[in-house]
Amino acid sequence: MPRSIKILFLAAEADPFIKVGGLGDVAGSLPGALRALSHQLDVRLCIPLHNDLKLDGFEIKPVSSYSIMRGGQRVPVQVFETFFAGTPVYFIEGSPISSAQSVYSADMAIDGEKYTFFSLAALELLRHIRWQPGIIHANDWHTAPAVYALHHRLADPHYAWIKSIIEVHNLPFMGGGTSPHLSAYGLHPCSNPHLPDWARHFPLPMALATADAIVAVSPAYALELMTPEFGCGLQDFLRTRADALSGILNGLDLKLWDPRTDSALIANYDGASLERRTVNKAKLQSSLGLHVNPDVHLLAMITRMDPQKGVDIAIDGLRRTADQSWQAIILGTGIPYLESAARSLQDEMPERVCAEIRYDAQLSRQIYAGADILLMPSRYEPCGLAQMIAMRYGCVPIGRATGGLIDTIRGYTDAVSGTGFLFTEASPDAFANCLREALQVFGDRDRWLRLQHNGMSQDFSWENAAKQYQDLYHQLLANKVAG
Ligand code: ADP
């Protein structure tokens, strides 16, 4: 076993510097969790120097400047370094990054240029610092070009021994439309015969074909990727890589999400003082204009408004269970037709539905701490954080049996260790039936308390995830993963 494992972790975003979605949580937490797990793990994070990075309070120093080639022209690169909770962080700067307005653009020409540049500049950095990783751990299509380029540098002694991981957070986002930029930087279509033609010049499939290991963000999602329903046309190809594919569930920052200390709550509580949740529930009901009643079932959805999340399924399902006693809070922003659908439900049932169309971190915490049931009828869910947060706060989840929801929610029919409710078909009827079941169980206080306690005692820590990554790194360096 090597004495020290050096890992360069590449991502488009990382909390606390910048966070747009779940990837920001992972890249902000996992490197530190790995370092905390073992002094042997020397993990360094590398992200683009986006224009709107939050750098207040961080000491930033220049590390290196060099250039990479783009179609016969040199593109200058500058690299800066800081430390976050003991983890060295490299920021890559260059005109393709500084000229982009935001972390992600709707224009693939902008993102194609920016992230191909970032990926190759990060790889090139290793020639300019005295630190040589054994593993490059890339995330999603944005950093996939680094994995593909690494594969073509195996004759270069500087890169020959580096193993690569591509982590899949959301397969449908493959980086299509970026091939002119890949070619401009010298990355040509992938020749893997199992890849469909259309995927040969998409960054994510190119990395999936050439990485030493592929990690999905939950074990169930790893299996789903190899099926027609979730494989996005890559299922047959991914089956050829089954030996290299595994799933590791994301962790949750347990300090950040703790009902005992959460300052957003009126009443803090733990598993032994769950009755204090009624104070939070009453405050939530009164502040959102709902009738204050501890006995009515308070349902909640906290979500991006995207078809992926099944917002429409929940809204139609709620209509179908209007004969039941419940109130619902929907907190989210996103695609306008889904926002309007949530508003329409509120207009139809103003006394029992509250649609809060915005991003509100404070309110989300109050909802987790006061609502009885979290609704997550996702069409697909690579991992999902909301259901883990809900369980930690004693809010029982109803989820569709897909991806990370399968791996984190144990069905209530398991009388000993159940933590929530799962339904199979992505339809309003299936959701409504599951909701009816949940409402019935809610009437049995002892049973409900058991579900809450079981959920609160789950170990969703990053430490758990970090141990599995550590094992994977060891296997990779010992050549035990089929590449
Ligand atoms: P995603 O696919 O969007 O990453 P997750 O369930 O993994 O879904 O994570 C979503 C995270 O974003 C959760 O922490 C959830 O509480 C938070 N979130 C989503 N929408 C909102 C919102 N409108 N206001 C506050 N927090 C939100």
Side-chain angles (χ1 to χ4, degrees), residues 19-23 25 169-170 250 252 257 301-305 308-309 330-334 356-365 367-368 374 376 378 380-389 405:
K19 178 183 153 180
V20 180
L23 173 61
D25 288 313
H169 298 255
N170 204 334
N250 283 341
L252 190 65
W257 297 103
M301 223 179 162
I302 302 171
T303 187
R304 277 187 294 121
M305 294 260 180
Q308 175 201 340
K309 298 292 184 181
I330 304 175
L331 171 65
T333 53
E356 298 292 315
I357 307 301
R358 63 178 191 275
Y359 191 94
D360 187 333
Q362 174 106 343
L363 178 60
S364 77
R365 290 171 176 278
I367 294 174
Y368 288 121
L374 182 86
M376 242 172 129
S378 306
Y380 72 94
E381 192 61 73
C383 176
L385 280 182
Q387 83 280 13
M388 292 196 243
I389 301 170
L405 296 171

Short mmCIF file of all heavy atoms in Angstrom, two decimals, residues 19-23 25 169-170 250 252 257 301-305 308-309 330-334 356-365 367-368 374 376 378 380-389 405, ligand 1:
data_model
loop_
_atom_site.label_atom_id
_atom_site.label_comp_id
_atom_site.label_asym_id
_atom_site.label_seq_id
_atom_site.Cartn_x
_atom_site.Cartn_y
_atom_site.Cartn_z
N LYS A 19 -21.44 27.85 -5.18
CA LYS A 19 -22.31 26.66 -5.19
C LYS A 19 -23.54 26.95 -6.03
O LYS A 19 -24.24 27.93 -5.79
CB LYS A 19 -22.73 26.30 -3.77
CG LYS A 19 -23.67 25.11 -3.74
CD LYS A 19 -24.14 24.79 -2.34
CE LYS A 19 -25.50 24.11 -2.42
NZ LYS A 19 -26.04 23.76 -1.13
N VAL A 20 -23.76 26.11 -7.03
CA VAL A 20 -24.97 26.22 -7.83
C VAL A 20 -25.89 25.04 -7.52
O VAL A 20 -27.09 25.19 -7.42
CB VAL A 20 -24.64 26.25 -9.34
CG1 VAL A 20 -25.91 26.36 -10.18
CG2 VAL A 20 -23.69 27.39 -9.66
N GLY A 21 -25.33 23.87 -7.32
CA GLY A 21 -26.15 22.69 -7.06
C GLY A 21 -25.42 21.69 -6.18
O GLY A 21 -24.43 22.03 -5.51
N GLY A 22 -25.87 20.44 -6.24
CA GLY A 22 -25.34 19.40 -5.37
C GLY A 22 -23.85 19.14 -5.56
O GLY A 22 -23.15 18.79 -4.61
N LEU A 23 -23.35 19.34 -6.79
CA LEU A 23 -21.92 19.14 -7.03
C LEU A 23 -21.08 20.06 -6.12
O LEU A 23 -20.03 19.66 -5.62
CB LEU A 23 -21.59 19.40 -8.51
CG LEU A 23 -20.10 19.39 -8.87
CD1 LEU A 23 -19.46 18.03 -8.58
CD2 LEU A 23 -19.91 19.74 -10.35
N ASP A 25 -21.81 21.03 -3.15
CA ASP A 25 -21.77 20.43 -1.81
C ASP A 25 -20.71 19.33 -1.77
O ASP A 25 -19.92 19.25 -0.83
CB ASP A 25 -23.12 19.78 -1.46
CG ASP A 25 -24.19 20.82 -1.19
OD1 ASP A 25 -23.90 21.76 -0.44
OD2 ASP A 25 -25.29 20.69 -1.74
N HIS A 169 -22.68 12.67 -11.66
CA HIS A 169 -23.70 13.24 -10.77
C HIS A 169 -25.05 13.32 -11.47
O HIS A 169 -26.09 13.39 -10.82
CB HIS A 169 -23.28 14.63 -10.31
CG HIS A 169 -22.00 14.63 -9.51
ND1 HIS A 169 -21.97 14.78 -8.15
CD2 HIS A 169 -20.71 14.47 -9.89
CE1 HIS A 169 -20.72 14.71 -7.72
NE2 HIS A 169 -19.93 14.52 -8.77
N ASN A 170 -25.04 13.38 -12.80
CA ASN A 170 -26.30 13.54 -13.53
C ASN A 170 -26.03 13.19 -15.00
O ASN A 170 -25.59 14.05 -15.77
CB ASN A 170 -26.78 15.00 -13.38
CG ASN A 170 -28.28 15.11 -13.59
OD1 ASN A 170 -28.88 14.29 -14.28
ND2 ASN A 170 -28.87 16.13 -13.01
N ASN A 250 -23.43 9.96 -1.81
CA ASN A 250 -22.92 11.22 -1.26
C ASN A 250 -23.21 11.29 0.24
O ASN A 250 -24.18 10.71 0.71
CB ASN A 250 -23.66 12.42 -1.86
CG ASN A 250 -23.18 12.74 -3.26
OD1 ASN A 250 -22.11 12.34 -3.66
ND2 ASN A 250 -24.01 13.47 -3.99
N LEU A 252 -23.68 13.84 3.83
CA LEU A 252 -24.35 15.07 4.23
C LEU A 252 -23.45 15.74 5.27
O LEU A 252 -22.85 15.04 6.09
CB LEU A 252 -25.69 14.68 4.88
CG LEU A 252 -26.70 15.76 5.19
CD1 LEU A 252 -27.19 16.40 3.91
CD2 LEU A 252 -27.89 15.13 5.95
N TRP A 257 -26.26 20.55 9.02
CA TRP A 257 -27.66 20.10 9.08
C TRP A 257 -27.87 19.37 10.39
O TRP A 257 -27.70 18.16 10.46
CB TRP A 257 -27.99 19.21 7.90
CG TRP A 257 -27.89 19.91 6.58
CD1 TRP A 257 -26.90 19.80 5.67
CD2 TRP A 257 -28.85 20.83 6.04
NE1 TRP A 257 -27.17 20.61 4.59
CE2 TRP A 257 -28.37 21.25 4.78
CE3 TRP A 257 -30.07 21.35 6.47
CZ2 TRP A 257 -29.05 22.16 3.97
CZ3 TRP A 257 -30.76 22.25 5.67
CH2 TRP A 257 -30.25 22.65 4.43
N MET A 301 -42.56 20.13 -0.09
CA MET A 301 -41.65 19.85 -1.19
C MET A 301 -40.63 20.98 -1.21
O MET A 301 -41.01 22.15 -1.17
CB MET A 301 -42.45 19.85 -2.49
CG MET A 301 -42.05 18.73 -3.38
SD MET A 301 -42.94 18.64 -4.89
CE MET A 301 -41.78 17.59 -5.73
N ILE A 302 -39.34 20.63 -1.24
CA ILE A 302 -38.28 21.65 -1.31
C ILE A 302 -37.41 21.23 -2.48
O ILE A 302 -36.68 20.24 -2.40
CB ILE A 302 -37.44 21.68 -0.01
CG1 ILE A 302 -38.35 21.95 1.19
CG2 ILE A 302 -36.33 22.73 -0.12
CD1 ILE A 302 -37.67 21.78 2.53
N THR A 303 -37.49 21.98 -3.58
CA THR A 303 -36.92 21.39 -4.79
C THR A 303 -36.63 22.40 -5.89
O THR A 303 -37.23 23.46 -5.95
CB THR A 303 -37.92 20.34 -5.34
OG1 THR A 303 -37.30 19.65 -6.41
CG2 THR A 303 -39.20 20.98 -5.84
N ARG A 304 -35.70 22.01 -6.76
CA ARG A 304 -35.61 22.66 -8.07
C ARG A 304 -36.89 22.31 -8.80
O ARG A 304 -37.34 21.16 -8.75
CB ARG A 304 -34.44 22.07 -8.87
CG ARG A 304 -33.11 22.65 -8.58
CD ARG A 304 -32.06 22.13 -9.54
NE ARG A 304 -31.81 20.71 -9.40
CZ ARG A 304 -31.96 19.82 -10.36
NH1 ARG A 304 -32.38 20.16 -11.56
NH2 ARG A 304 -31.68 18.54 -10.16
N MET A 305 -37.47 23.27 -9.49
CA MET A 305 -38.69 22.99 -10.25
C MET A 305 -38.28 22.48 -11.62
O MET A 305 -38.06 23.26 -12.55
CB MET A 305 -39.52 24.26 -10.38
CG MET A 305 -40.04 24.74 -9.06
SD MET A 305 -41.75 24.22 -8.89
CE MET A 305 -42.15 24.88 -7.30
N GLN A 308 -37.42 16.46 -13.74
CA GLN A 308 -36.70 15.38 -13.04
C GLN A 308 -37.29 15.14 -11.65
O GLN A 308 -37.37 14.01 -11.18
CB GLN A 308 -35.21 15.74 -12.89
CG GLN A 308 -34.44 14.72 -12.06
CD GLN A 308 -33.13 15.26 -11.45
OE1 GLN A 308 -32.59 16.24 -11.92
NE2 GLN A 308 -32.64 14.60 -10.43
N LYS A 309 -37.68 16.22 -10.99
CA LYS A 309 -38.08 16.13 -9.59
C LYS A 309 -39.53 15.71 -9.40
O LYS A 309 -40.00 15.58 -8.27
CB LYS A 309 -37.83 17.49 -8.91
CG LYS A 309 -36.37 17.90 -8.89
CD LYS A 309 -35.57 16.99 -7.98
CE LYS A 309 -34.12 17.42 -7.87
NZ LYS A 309 -33.34 16.52 -7.00
N ILE A 330 -45.00 24.16 -0.90
CA ILE A 330 -44.09 23.86 -2.01
C ILE A 330 -43.10 25.02 -2.11
O ILE A 330 -43.48 26.15 -2.40
CB ILE A 330 -44.87 23.71 -3.33
CG1 ILE A 330 -45.95 22.63 -3.18
CG2 ILE A 330 -43.91 23.34 -4.47
CD1 ILE A 330 -46.86 22.48 -4.40
N LEU A 331 -41.84 24.73 -1.82
CA LEU A 331 -40.79 25.76 -1.91
C LEU A 331 -39.87 25.39 -3.07
O LEU A 331 -39.26 24.31 -3.07
CB LEU A 331 -39.98 25.80 -0.60
CG LEU A 331 -38.71 26.67 -0.62
CD1 LEU A 331 -39.05 28.15 -0.81
CD2 LEU A 331 -37.91 26.49 0.67
N GLY A 332 -39.77 26.27 -4.06
CA GLY A 332 -38.87 25.94 -5.18
C GLY A 332 -38.88 27.00 -6.27
O GLY A 332 -39.77 27.85 -6.31
N THR A 333 -37.87 26.92 -7.10
CA THR A 333 -37.84 27.78 -8.29
C THR A 333 -37.34 26.92 -9.45
O THR A 333 -36.74 25.87 -9.25
CB THR A 333 -36.81 28.93 -8.18
OG1 THR A 333 -35.55 28.35 -7.84
CG2 THR A 333 -37.20 29.96 -7.18
N GLY A 334 -37.59 27.41 -10.66
CA GLY A 334 -37.09 26.68 -11.81
C GLY A 334 -37.90 26.92 -13.04
O GLY A 334 -38.20 28.07 -13.37
N GLU A 356 -44.33 28.75 -2.39
CA GLU A 356 -43.30 29.78 -2.19
C GLU A 356 -42.29 29.62 -3.33
O GLU A 356 -41.44 28.73 -3.30
CB GLU A 356 -42.61 29.61 -0.84
CG GLU A 356 -43.52 29.75 0.35
CD GLU A 356 -44.01 31.19 0.53
OE1 GLU A 356 -43.19 32.12 0.42
OE2 GLU A 356 -45.23 31.37 0.74
N ILE A 357 -42.42 30.50 -4.33
CA ILE A 357 -41.61 30.34 -5.54
C ILE A 357 -40.35 31.17 -5.40
O ILE A 357 -40.26 32.31 -5.86
CB ILE A 357 -42.42 30.74 -6.79
CG1 ILE A 357 -43.76 29.99 -6.82
CG2 ILE A 357 -41.62 30.45 -8.07
CD1 ILE A 357 -43.65 28.48 -6.82
N ARG A 358 -39.40 30.62 -4.70
CA ARG A 358 -38.11 31.31 -4.53
C ARG A 358 -37.11 30.34 -3.92
O ARG A 358 -37.48 29.25 -3.50
CB ARG A 358 -38.27 32.52 -3.62
CG ARG A 358 -38.71 32.19 -2.21
CD ARG A 358 -38.79 33.46 -1.35
NE ARG A 358 -38.95 33.18 0.05
CZ ARG A 358 -40.11 32.93 0.64
NH1 ARG A 358 -41.22 32.92 -0.06
NH2 ARG A 358 -40.16 32.68 1.94
N TYR A 359 -35.85 30.76 -3.88
CA TYR A 359 -34.83 29.99 -3.15
C TYR A 359 -34.71 30.63 -1.79
O TYR A 359 -34.45 31.82 -1.69
CB TYR A 359 -33.49 30.01 -3.90
CG TYR A 359 -32.51 29.02 -3.31
CD1 TYR A 359 -32.40 27.74 -3.84
CD2 TYR A 359 -31.75 29.35 -2.20
CE1 TYR A 359 -31.55 26.81 -3.28
CE2 TYR A 359 -30.89 28.42 -1.63
CZ TYR A 359 -30.79 27.16 -2.18
OH TYR A 359 -29.95 26.24 -1.62
N ASP A 360 -34.93 29.86 -0.74
CA ASP A 360 -34.90 30.44 0.60
C ASP A 360 -34.33 29.39 1.57
O ASP A 360 -35.05 28.50 2.05
CB ASP A 360 -36.32 30.85 1.01
CG ASP A 360 -36.35 31.61 2.32
OD1 ASP A 360 -35.45 31.40 3.16
OD2 ASP A 360 -37.28 32.42 2.51
N ALA A 361 -33.03 29.51 1.85
CA ALA A 361 -32.35 28.50 2.66
C ALA A 361 -32.92 28.45 4.08
O ALA A 361 -33.12 27.38 4.66
CB ALA A 361 -30.86 28.79 2.70
N GLN A 362 -33.21 29.64 4.64
CA GLN A 362 -33.74 29.73 6.00
C GLN A 362 -35.10 29.02 6.10
O GLN A 362 -35.33 28.20 6.98
CB GLN A 362 -33.87 31.22 6.34
CG GLN A 362 -34.52 31.54 7.65
CD GLN A 362 -33.48 32.01 8.65
OE1 GLN A 362 -32.27 31.81 8.46
NE2 GLN A 362 -33.94 32.64 9.72
N LEU A 363 -35.97 29.35 5.15
CA LEU A 363 -37.30 28.73 5.17
C LEU A 363 -37.19 27.21 4.96
O LEU A 363 -37.92 26.44 5.58
CB LEU A 363 -38.20 29.36 4.08
CG LEU A 363 -39.60 28.77 3.94
CD1 LEU A 363 -40.39 28.90 5.26
CD2 LEU A 363 -40.37 29.45 2.81
N SER A 364 -36.25 26.79 4.10
CA SER A 364 -36.12 25.35 3.87
C SER A 364 -35.81 24.64 5.19
O SER A 364 -36.37 23.59 5.49
CB SER A 364 -35.03 25.05 2.82
OG SER A 364 -33.73 25.18 3.37
N ARG A 365 -34.97 25.23 6.01
CA ARG A 365 -34.63 24.61 7.30
C ARG A 365 -35.85 24.53 8.21
O ARG A 365 -36.09 23.54 8.91
CB ARG A 365 -33.51 25.40 7.98
CG ARG A 365 -32.17 25.25 7.27
CD ARG A 365 -31.11 26.20 7.82
NE ARG A 365 -29.84 25.97 7.17
CZ ARG A 365 -28.98 24.99 7.52
NH1 ARG A 365 -29.25 24.21 8.54
NH2 ARG A 365 -27.86 24.82 6.86
N ILE A 367 -38.87 24.38 7.28
CA ILE A 367 -39.79 23.38 6.75
C ILE A 367 -39.34 21.97 7.16
O ILE A 367 -40.13 21.16 7.64
CB ILE A 367 -39.90 23.50 5.21
CG1 ILE A 367 -40.55 24.83 4.83
CG2 ILE A 367 -40.71 22.33 4.64
CD1 ILE A 367 -40.57 25.12 3.33
N TYR A 368 -38.04 21.68 6.97
CA TYR A 368 -37.55 20.35 7.38
C TYR A 368 -37.88 20.09 8.86
O TYR A 368 -38.13 18.97 9.27
CB TYR A 368 -36.03 20.24 7.18
CG TYR A 368 -35.58 20.13 5.74
CD1 TYR A 368 -34.72 21.08 5.18
CD2 TYR A 368 -36.01 19.09 4.93
CE1 TYR A 368 -34.29 20.99 3.86
CE2 TYR A 368 -35.59 18.99 3.60
CZ TYR A 368 -34.74 19.94 3.08
OH TYR A 368 -34.33 19.85 1.77
N LEU A 374 -41.91 14.84 3.75
CA LEU A 374 -41.27 15.47 2.58
C LEU A 374 -41.63 14.68 1.34
O LEU A 374 -41.50 13.45 1.32
CB LEU A 374 -39.74 15.48 2.74
CG LEU A 374 -39.04 16.17 1.55
CD1 LEU A 374 -38.98 17.68 1.78
CD2 LEU A 374 -37.65 15.62 1.31
N MET A 376 -40.90 13.62 -2.47
CA MET A 376 -39.81 13.55 -3.45
C MET A 376 -40.15 12.53 -4.54
O MET A 376 -39.51 11.48 -4.64
CB MET A 376 -38.50 13.18 -2.76
CG MET A 376 -37.47 14.28 -2.91
SD MET A 376 -36.02 13.99 -1.95
CE MET A 376 -34.76 14.23 -3.20
N SER A 378 -39.38 11.94 -7.51
CA SER A 378 -38.46 12.18 -8.63
C SER A 378 -38.60 11.14 -9.74
O SER A 378 -38.74 9.95 -9.47
CB SER A 378 -37.01 12.13 -8.12
OG SER A 378 -36.84 13.02 -7.05
N TYR A 380 -36.05 10.62 -11.82
CA TYR A 380 -34.78 9.96 -11.52
C TYR A 380 -34.08 10.79 -10.47
O TYR A 380 -34.34 11.99 -10.34
CB TYR A 380 -33.92 9.74 -12.77
CG TYR A 380 -33.28 10.99 -13.36
CD1 TYR A 380 -31.98 11.38 -13.01
CD2 TYR A 380 -33.97 11.78 -14.26
CE1 TYR A 380 -31.41 12.51 -13.55
CE2 TYR A 380 -33.39 12.92 -14.80
CZ TYR A 380 -32.12 13.28 -14.44
OH TYR A 380 -31.55 14.42 -14.97
N GLU A 381 -33.24 10.16 -9.67
CA GLU A 381 -32.58 10.88 -8.57
C GLU A 381 -31.22 10.26 -8.34
O GLU A 381 -31.08 9.26 -7.63
CB GLU A 381 -33.45 10.78 -7.30
CG GLU A 381 -33.03 11.71 -6.20
CD GLU A 381 -33.11 13.17 -6.63
OE1 GLU A 381 -34.21 13.72 -6.76
OE2 GLU A 381 -32.02 13.74 -6.85
N PRO A 382 -30.17 10.82 -8.97
CA PRO A 382 -28.84 10.20 -8.83
C PRO A 382 -28.46 9.95 -7.37
O PRO A 382 -27.99 8.87 -7.04
CB PRO A 382 -27.91 11.23 -9.49
CG PRO A 382 -28.79 11.90 -10.52
CD PRO A 382 -30.15 11.96 -9.88
N CYS A 383 -28.67 10.92 -6.50
CA CYS A 383 -28.41 10.69 -5.07
C CYS A 383 -29.54 11.32 -4.26
O CYS A 383 -30.33 10.65 -3.64
CB CYS A 383 -27.06 11.27 -4.65
SG CYS A 383 -26.78 11.09 -2.89
N GLY A 384 -29.61 12.67 -4.29
CA GLY A 384 -30.64 13.36 -3.53
C GLY A 384 -30.16 13.67 -2.12
O GLY A 384 -29.71 12.78 -1.40
N LEU A 385 -30.23 14.94 -1.78
CA LEU A 385 -29.85 15.36 -0.43
C LEU A 385 -31.08 15.63 0.42
O LEU A 385 -31.08 15.41 1.63
CB LEU A 385 -29.06 16.68 -0.50
CG LEU A 385 -27.60 16.62 -0.87
CD1 LEU A 385 -27.02 18.03 -0.83
CD2 LEU A 385 -26.84 15.73 0.10
N ALA A 386 -32.13 16.15 -0.24
CA ALA A 386 -33.29 16.63 0.52
C ALA A 386 -33.88 15.53 1.40
O ALA A 386 -34.25 15.78 2.55
CB ALA A 386 -34.34 17.19 -0.43
N GLN A 387 -33.94 14.29 0.88
CA GLN A 387 -34.54 13.22 1.70
C GLN A 387 -33.65 12.89 2.89
O GLN A 387 -34.13 12.53 3.96
CB GLN A 387 -34.81 11.98 0.84
CG GLN A 387 -33.64 11.04 0.60
CD GLN A 387 -32.70 11.53 -0.49
OE1 GLN A 387 -32.77 12.68 -0.91
NE2 GLN A 387 -31.82 10.67 -0.95
N MET A 388 -32.31 13.06 2.72
CA MET A 388 -31.41 12.78 3.85
C MET A 388 -31.56 13.86 4.92
O MET A 388 -31.59 13.58 6.12
CB MET A 388 -29.96 12.72 3.37
CG MET A 388 -29.67 11.55 2.46
SD MET A 388 -27.88 11.30 2.31
CE MET A 388 -27.63 11.60 0.60
N ILE A 389 -31.65 15.12 4.46
CA ILE A 389 -31.83 16.21 5.42
C ILE A 389 -33.15 16.01 6.17
O ILE A 389 -33.23 16.15 7.40
CB ILE A 389 -31.83 17.58 4.70
CG1 ILE A 389 -30.53 17.80 3.94
CG2 ILE A 389 -32.08 18.71 5.70
CD1 ILE A 389 -30.54 19.01 2.99
N LEU A 405 -32.74 7.50 -3.75
CA LEU A 405 -33.90 7.36 -2.85
C LEU A 405 -34.05 5.90 -2.42
O LEU A 405 -34.43 5.62 -1.28
CB LEU A 405 -35.17 7.86 -3.55
CG LEU A 405 -35.15 9.37 -3.89
CD1 LEU A 405 -36.33 9.75 -4.77
CD2 LEU A 405 -35.17 10.21 -2.62
P1 ADP B 1 -30.56 18.56 -6.61
O1 ADP B 1 -30.80 17.56 -7.70
O2 ADP B 1 -31.25 19.86 -6.87
O3 ADP B 1 -29.11 18.71 -6.24
P2 ADP B 1 -30.84 17.49 -3.94
O4 ADP B 1 -31.99 16.90 -3.20
O5 ADP B 1 -29.63 16.64 -4.09
O6 ADP B 1 -31.36 17.96 -5.36
O7 ADP B 1 -30.38 18.83 -3.23
C1 ADP B 1 -31.18 19.93 -3.21
C2 ADP B 1 -30.69 20.85 -2.11
O8 ADP B 1 -31.12 22.18 -2.42
C3 ADP B 1 -31.28 20.53 -0.75
O9 ADP B 1 -30.35 20.93 0.23
C4 ADP B 1 -32.52 21.41 -0.68
O10 ADP B 1 -32.87 21.72 0.64
C5 ADP B 1 -32.03 22.64 -1.41
N1 ADP B 1 -33.07 23.40 -2.12
C6 ADP B 1 -33.68 23.09 -3.28
N2 ADP B 1 -34.56 24.06 -3.62
C7 ADP B 1 -34.52 24.97 -2.64
C8 ADP B 1 -35.20 26.22 -2.42
N3 ADP B 1 -36.10 26.70 -3.27
N4 ADP B 1 -34.89 26.93 -1.32
C9 ADP B 1 -33.96 26.45 -0.45
N5 ADP B 1 -33.28 25.30 -0.59
C10 ADP B 1 -33.56 24.56 -1.68
#
